[in-house]
């Protein structure tokens, strides 16, 4: 059995292919439904979709289109267009927005963007080059989320964008732990020295220093968060929840199969993966964020999202939380 803390592709819910796979993050099927609910709530009448090639982009945008057709209450509304384009082999990201602008039949339209990390920027840059700042209202999936990198120096083009992220919290204990790591107390991590050099723009070996280079030798007195910028990676909460899910499953399995025993008994040596999977799928505990960690029959976590809008107020850009989604949309219009 495998428990993922980051994989959201809808394909992974297929028990005939990925029967041992579980995840503490929701499937993009939930995200697609949340995006459809946002489109409905804002009464948009035309949507163009843009996806990157590959499972994440293509299956995500397909789920959005499918959910928009499945949804009752007369959705899509009469006259609403859902126009889809993915980046084909002969079509670069530079060309997609220009092509889409030419094909869009409406004076103002909206984009539901489902690209991977670097294409977000290229799409915004292309809109800026085409002098289309303010023409689109963008909607970005969790690959855009609340990242600064896609919108840096493109704030005016991105203004008003609505983005979505699985609901998560910053884990303070991790900040305390990670900012206290040094080359002396973190030798077990074989990549830490490489991180140290990259993070502090220095070299640990004097031999690695090039003559005339501005890169200095590391002193080992550098401190994370003091001598470099530090921001917690957004998936820390899910990594912790995934580890605890496996721990709870093994603990419950041990209590049932090896009662009163210390260590493994013969019924768990070796561990039967099919049996362990049953215990993983039945865990129910409070995660590090205080929300329940559970799995459905496909191994998916419940869909819980924060909805953001990229706003500029008093010349200061920020991602502002404007709503939540957990089965139903709560949007502060």
């Amino acid at each position: 059995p495998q428990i993922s803390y980051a994989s959201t592709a809808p394909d992974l819910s297929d028990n005939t292919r990925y029967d041992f796979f579980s995840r503490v993050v929701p499937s993009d099927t939930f995200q697609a439904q949340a995006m459809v609910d946002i489109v409905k709530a804002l009464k948009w009448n035309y949507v163009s979709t843009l996806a990157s090639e590959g499972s994440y982009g293509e299956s995500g945008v397909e789920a959005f289109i499918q959910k928009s057709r499945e949804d009752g209450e007369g959705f899509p509304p009469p006259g609403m267009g859902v126009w889809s384009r993915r980046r084909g082999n002969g079509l670069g990201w530079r060309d997609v927005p220009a092509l889409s602008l030419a094909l869009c039949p409406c004076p103002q339209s909206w984009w539901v963007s489902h690209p991977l990390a670097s294409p977000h920027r290229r799409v915004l840059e292309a809109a800026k080059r085409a002098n289309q700042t303010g023409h689109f209202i963008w909607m970005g999936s969790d690959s855009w989320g609340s990242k600064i990198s896609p919108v840096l120096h493109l704030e005016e083009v991105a203004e008003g964008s609505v983005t979505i992220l699985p609901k998560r919290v910053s884990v303070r204990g991790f900040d305390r732990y990670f900012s206290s790591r040094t080359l002396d107390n973190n030798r077990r991590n074989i990549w830490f020295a490489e991180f140290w050099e990259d993070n502090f723009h220095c070299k640990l070996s004097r031999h690695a220093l090039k003559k005339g280079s501005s890169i200095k030798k590391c002193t080992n007195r550098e401190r994370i968060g003091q001598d470099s910028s530090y921001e917690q990676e957004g998936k820390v909460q899910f990594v912790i929840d995934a580890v605890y899910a496996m721990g709870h499953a093994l603990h419950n399995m041990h209590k049932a199969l090896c009662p009163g025993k210390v260590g493994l008994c013969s019924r768990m040596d070796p561990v039967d993966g099919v049996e362990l999977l049953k215990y993983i799928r039945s865990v129910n505990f409070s995660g590090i964020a205080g929300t329940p960690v559970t799995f459905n029959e496909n191994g998916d976590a419940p869909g819980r999202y924060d909805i953001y809008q990229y706003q500029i107020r008093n010349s200061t850009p920020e991602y502002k939380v404007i709503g939540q989604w957990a089965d139903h949309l709560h949007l502060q219009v």
Side-chain angles (χ1 to χ4, degrees):
Q2 179 181 6
I3 304 177
S4 171
Y5 57 82
S7 303
T8 59
D11 302 3
L12 295 166
S13 300
D14 184 351
N15 261 333
T16 63
R17 295 169 66 198
Y18 307 106
D19 44 334
F20 281 86
F21 182 85
S22 306
R23 49 185 163 189
V24 292
V25 286
S27 162
D28 284 338
T29 305
F30 295 116
Q31 183 173 191
Q33 183 63 61
M35 294 171 104
V36 167
D37 290 349
I38 293 167
V39 168
K40 281 175 61 181
L42 298 179
K43 297 181 170 60
W44 292 356
N45 57 19
Y46 192 92
V47 174
S48 297
T49 65
L50 180 62
S52 58
E53 276 188 318
S55 177
Y56 174 78
E58 291 178 30
S59 60
V61 106
E62 281 166 15
F64 172 81
I65 293 170
Q66 183 183 343
K67 289 291 181 185
S68 72
R69 288 170 180 157
E70 285 175 2
D71 212 300
E73 301 175 27
F75 185 79
M80 175 174 176
V82 180
W83 183 81
S84 183
R85 177 79 212 178
R86 70 180 175 85
R87 189 195 70 179
N89 290 333
L91 189 66
W93 275 105
R94 273 180 86 108
D95 310 311
V96 169
L99 173 69
S100 309
L101 289 168
L103 290 175
C104 175
C106 45
Q108 186 180 32
S109 62
W110 291 267
W111 282 77
V112 177
S113 169
H114 215 285
L116 294 171
S118 62
H120 301 108
R121 247 194 111 68
R122 297 188 201 167
V123 172
L124 293 174
E125 285 169 347
K128 186 176 182 178
R129 277 196 306 272
N131 201 26
Q132 295 296 328
T133 297
H135 182 78
F136 296 111
I137 298 176
W138 311 88
M139 185 187 290
S141 65
D142 63 334
S143 66
W144 179 339
S146 59
K147 292 177 185 157
I148 300 300
S149 54
V151 298
L152 191 63
H153 308 308
L154 294 165
E155 290 82 2
E156 289 184 359
V157 189
E159 185 178 9
S161 301
V162 176
T163 61
I164 189 168
L165 264 183
K167 189 175 274 293
R168 61 197 189 189
V169 298
S170 187
V171 183
R172 288 187 181 178
F174 182 83
D175 289 340
R176 287 195 298 272
Y177 163 78
F178 193 74
S179 60
S180 69
R181 297 303 86 194
T182 67
L183 291 166
D184 293 326
N185 65 21
N186 201 24
R187 296 186 181 213
R188 69 180 186 86
N189 187 330
I190 60 171
W191 296 284
F192 196 68
E194 185 179 344
F195 160 79
W196 195 270
E197 290 183 329
D198 187 64
N199 189 51
F200 295 112
H201 308 293
C202 61
K203 289 291 180 184
L204 290 167
S205 167
R206 197 177 297 277
H207 302 296
L209 295 172
K210 293 179 182 174
K211 199 169 184 180
S213 170
S214 59
I215 297 177
K216 59 186 185 300
K217 188 178 185 306
C218 304
T219 64
N220 201 14
R221 290 192 295 273
E222 298 89 0
R223 290 296 173 263
I224 297 168
Q226 296 176 30
D227 302 304
S228 67
S229 60
Y230 166 75
E231 184 181 2
Q232 188 174 126
E233 212 288 331
K235 294 184 176 69
V236 167
Q237 169 198 328
F238 301 120
V239 176
I240 293 170
D241 285 348
V243 171
Y244 271 91
M246 186 66 83
H248 278 285
L250 284 166
H251 181 72
N252 294 338
M253 185 179 187
H254 187 267
K255 277 203 304 186
L257 301 185
C258 307
K261 299 272 186 184
V262 176
L264 295 181
C265 63
S266 58
R267 292 181 69 188
M268 281 186 74
D269 188 12
V271 170
D272 183 309
V274 175
E275 188 77 7
L276 176 58
L277 183 65
K278 295 175 187 173
Y279 286 95
I280 289 174
R281 294 287 171 87
S282 61
V283 299
N284 189 337
F285 64 96
S286 183
I288 195 76
T291 51
V293 176
T294 59
F295 303 105
N296 66 14
E297 65 277 7
N298 297 322
D300 295 330
R304 288 187 287 260
Y305 298 96
D306 280 323
I307 316 296
Y308 295 84
Q309 187 176 45
Y310 189 66
Q311 301 179 357
I312 301 176
R313 293 190 175 183
N314 302 320
S315 303
T316 304
E318 65 171 338
Y319 287 98
K320 190 96 172 164
V321 175
I322 59 166
Q324 290 82 32
W325 190 94
D327 289 331
H328 301 286
L329 178 67
H330 302 279
L331 199 62
Q332 299 154 25
V333 177

